[in-house]
């Protein structure tokens, strides 16, 4: 019985490697880039770009079906998709505030196992975003946490097959574009932090749970406008009564 169990596990592993090899031959490596754009207090975009290195996308019916599912899921959260070149597929999901971003992101990646985001070969990707906000009058304070579980994405180097050495089933990064960013990474094997860069970028590590955390501020036009109005009124008041006292 023990030998049978070992044989079954060996066959499962062999089948898994064969499936990964087929996916690589048909579609190549998937470059997945996630970008969080905070343009203003009331507008931003969640942009996902999928690029393939090698493989004929248009001729792959299974991959076309997978992209159709992503297109439908994007439309369900008010987004749109389009091709950028022959092997780049972009998903854009706009949001009006932090709460909308959190809701749309988590709804897109799926609240349960039945609708979990998966790769073409079926590897599930669990992702969750939380965003806490606070009004600081002239700016909106944001505390963002992002967790991307890539433990189901296999490490091809561990297979020991020469054909798969140096290959990656998934590569990518997460980019945060927002004013006044203080950020840090909690991903395994990384210890990075920074303050106020033009953008913050983290690399996604297959086979690991990637945890990212950032603090940033988005200017508030309403608060800034209120201060300007008060200054104008104060200056006008001072000029009026200053001249009247002469």
């Amino acid at each position: 019985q023990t030998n049978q169990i070992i044989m079954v596990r060996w066959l499962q592993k062999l089948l898994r490697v064969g499936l990964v090899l087929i996916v690589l031959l048909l579609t190549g490596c998937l470059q997945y880039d996630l970008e969080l754009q905070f343009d203003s207090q009331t507008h931003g975009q969640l942009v996902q770009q999928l690029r393939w290195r090698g493989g004929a996308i248009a001729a792959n019916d299974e991959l076309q079906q997978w992209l159709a599912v992503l297109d439908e899921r994007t439309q369900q959260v008010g987004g749109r998709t389009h091709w950028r070149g022959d092997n780049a597929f972009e998903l854009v999901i706009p949001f009006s505030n932090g709460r909308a971003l959190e809701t749309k992101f988590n709804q897109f990646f799926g609240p349960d196992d039945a609708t979990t985001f998966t790769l073409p070969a079926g590897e599930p990707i669990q992702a969750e975003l939380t965003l806490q906000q606070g009004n600081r009058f002239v700016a909106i304070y944001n505390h963002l946490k992002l967790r991307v579980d890539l433990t189901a994405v296999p490490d091809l180097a561990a297979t020991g097959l020469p054909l798969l050495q140096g290959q990656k089933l998934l590569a990518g990064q997460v980019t945060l574009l927002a004013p006044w960013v203080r950020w840090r990474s909690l991903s395994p094997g990384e210890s990075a932090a920074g303050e106020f860069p033009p953008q913050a970028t983290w690399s996604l590590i297959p086979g690991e749970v990637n945890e990212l955390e950032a603090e940033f501020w988005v200017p508030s036009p309403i608060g800034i406008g209120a201060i300007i109005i008060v200054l104008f009124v104060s200056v006008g008041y001072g000029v009026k009564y200053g001249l009247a006292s002469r």
Side-chain angles (χ1 to χ4, degrees), residues 51-103:
R51 298 184 182 90
W52 284 267
R53 300 174 181 174
I57 305 306
N60 191 323
D61 293 337
E62 291 186 1
L63 185 55
Q64 290 295 331
Q65 293 176 7
W66 180 69
L67 293 177
V69 172
L70 294 187
D71 178 72
E72 180 181 357
R73 183 175 295 201
T74 302
Q75 293 185 37
Q76 288 176 351
V77 292
R80 63 187 186 277
T81 63
H82 63 275
W83 283 96
R84 297 186 60 180
D86 295 335
N87 284 345
F89 191 67
E90 186 172 78
L91 304 84
V92 180
I93 303 173
F95 56 88
S96 57
N97 52 54
R99 181 61 61 186
L101 167 63
E102 183 177 318
T103 300

Side-chain angles (χ1 to χ4, degrees), residues 29-37 46-51 53 105 109 125 146 148 150 168 170-177 183 185 187 190 199-206 210 212:
C29 169
L30 174 62
Q31 175 75 30
Y32 173 76
D33 295 324
L34 172 65
E35 193 170 275
L36 300 169
Q37 302 175 358
L46 171 64
V47 180
Q48 302 176 75
Q49 291 187 354
L50 310 176
R51 298 184 182 90
R53 300 174 181 174
F105 183 95
F109 279 94
I125 295 180
L146 177 61
V148 183
L150 299 179
K168 288 184 177 181
L170 173 69
Q173 62 184 22
V174 177
T175 301
L176 171 63
L177 295 173
W183 59 272
S185 171
S187 298
E190 290 190 10
Q199 66 182 39
T201 302
W202 301 267
S203 296
L204 291 174
I205 306 175
N210 297 258
L212 319 174

